[in-house]
Amino acid sequence: MTKKDFLHKVTARYKYNPVWAGILNLSGTGLANKNWIFITGCYNSGTTLLDQILATHPQISGLPDEGVMLTNQLVRPEDFGWRRMWAQCEKEMEGAPRNRHKDPKLIKRHWSHFYDCKKPFLLEKSISNMTRLKFFQENFKPAWFIHIVRNGYAVAEGIYRKARIMKGNPYFGSREHYPIQDCAGQWVRSLEVFNDVKNDLPNVIEIKYEDLTSNPNQVINEVLGILRLDGFSADYFQKSFSIHEKESTITNMNQSSFDRLTRSQIKMINEVAGAYLKEYDYEIFN
């Protein structure tokens, strides 16, 4: 186990321990004169894939986990009993003392242990940071925000299938999965929040999961071009990437999600997310 692997495991577990957080602060650096890239989007939208690809660029350094796992300054929906579902505890997250008093200097010092600080671009991906984009724009300059959108049916199905209801959650003990309406609502709320704030962000790049998986060479190299970085060779994207501890080539997984949905679930998703499905040019299923 490397030093960074050890730090990752300990920090992810003890990040709220004031002694450990103090050690990270005292031994960290301020990460001055860096370019920041924040990947944002809903759960199950390809954010991890995008993060894995960009982090392999020679001028970009990524984190071994979501940034929220590596500092005590950023609250997570899991802190309120909602795994993969920040839309259900958005107000609680916003009003939490830890969130109201978050310190960008401490975040940088905590994260500095996990970056290759010799690289000019630093990459971060945390789904729940969708609720804090203006904070990062104001305190991490210069910053680029890459927003990735995926078909809402696939996103809702993925949240429904993957999210395990936590003890203390209102649904705990009464059902195995969140209601599909809540899963679709999370997709909608992610889009609403981003659309509300994107005009206040100076450097926004918007891409679709479907475009990324069908032509990764074009999409990724267009992103790198905007960042004024050299692109990858076309054959680079034939390799496998590690996504949630599984090795896989870049593949559009939408159809497998569609196939898992029942007709009743599709109807409920349409009721919640139909307007946004149309707005983002996704076919409405019957």
Side-chain angles (χ1 to χ4, degrees), residues 171-182:
Y171 293 123
F172 183 77
S174 63
R175 57 189 303 145
E176 185 177 355
H177 303 282
Y178 294 136
I180 196 71
Q181 304 98 308
D182 288 359

Side-chain angles (χ1 to χ4, degrees), residues 65-271:
D65 205 335
E66 289 201 344
V68 294
M69 294 296 294
L70 304 174
T71 178
N72 68 348
Q73 296 295 298
L74 301 171
V75 296
R76 306 160 58 234
E78 289 82 359
D79 297 335
F80 304 90
W82 289 94
R83 182 176 286 122
R84 301 176 73 86
M85 188 67 70
W86 61 256
Q88 292 291 334
C89 58
E90 185 178 354
K91 290 183 179 180
E92 290 87 345
M93 289 174 59
E94 182 179 354
R98 191 182 302 276
N99 182 65
R100 289 187 285 107
H101 300 295
K102 55 187 177 292
D103 187 335
K105 293 181 180 179
L106 288 179
I107 295 171
K108 292 174 184 178
R109 295 185 73 85
H110 294 168
W111 286 352
S112 69
H113 293 277
F114 307 98
Y115 282 121
D116 179 348
C117 296
K118 296 179 182 178
K119 296 185 178 183
F121 283 81
L122 303 182
L123 177 68
E124 196 279 334
K125 187 272 291 188
S126 294
I127 298 298
S128 58
N129 279 343
M130 177 70 80
T131 64
R132 296 179 280 251
L133 296 182
K134 290 186 70 174
F135 167 80
F136 286 106
Q137 185 273 323
E138 293 168 357
N139 295 285
F140 293 69
K141 296 181 179 181
W144 284 260
F145 298 87
I146 307 176
H147 182 225
I148 183 168
V149 178
R150 185 180 182 182
N151 188 299
Y153 293 108
V155 171
E157 188 280 327
I159 296 172
Y160 176 85
R161 173 168 43 89
K162 295 179 180 179
R164 294 292 175 262
I165 297 176
M166 300 175 67
K167 188 175 182 180
N169 184 281
Y171 293 123
F172 183 77
S174 63
R175 57 189 303 145
E176 185 177 355
H177 303 282
Y178 294 136
I180 196 71
Q181 304 98 308
D182 288 359
C183 302
Q186 175 63 71
W187 183 70
V188 169
R189 185 58 186 152
S190 293
L191 295 173
E192 288 177 341
V193 170
F194 183 78
N195 287 334
D196 284 345
V197 75
K198 72 176 182 180
N199 290 334
D200 296 323
L201 306 176
N203 303 305
V204 172
I205 304 171
E206 296 188 78
I207 66 174
K208 279 190 170 182
Y209 167 87
E210 294 78 17
D211 296 331
L212 173 62
T213 54
S214 66
N215 195 341
N217 181 60
Q218 177 180 331
V219 171
I220 293 298
N221 284 339
E222 284 180 357
V223 169
L224 292 173
I226 294 171
L227 298 173
R228 298 185 179 180
L229 293 173
D230 293 337
F232 292 111
S233 61
D235 60 357
Y236 181 79
F237 297 97
Q238 297 174 9
K239 64 177 285 187
S240 294
F241 292 88
S242 178
I243 308 299
H244 301 302
E245 300 181 354
K246 294 182 180 179
E247 292 289 331
S248 174
T249 55
I250 298 174
T251 305
N252 185 329
M253 301 299 293
N254 281 359
Q255 190 60 52
S256 61
S257 285
F258 300 158
D259 292 342
R260 294 187 187 100
L261 290 169
T262 65
R263 183 165 295 183
S264 174
Q265 288 177 322
I266 289 172
K267 181 180 179 181
M268 288 185 278
I269 292 172
N270 289 345
E271 291 173 355

Side-chain angles (χ1 to χ4, degrees), residues 1-14:
M1 181 183 294
T2 67
K3 178 182 177 181
K4 281 190 177 181
D5 288 337
F6 173 77
L7 284 173
H8 173 203
K9 289 181 179 295
V10 174
T11 302
R13 184 170 183 177
Y14 296 108

Side-chain angles (χ1 to χ4, degrees), residues 29-42:
T29 62
L31 297 176
N33 303 315
K34 296 297 181 182
N35 301 283
W36 292 90
I37 306 169
F38 293 98
I39 294 175
T40 187
C42 191

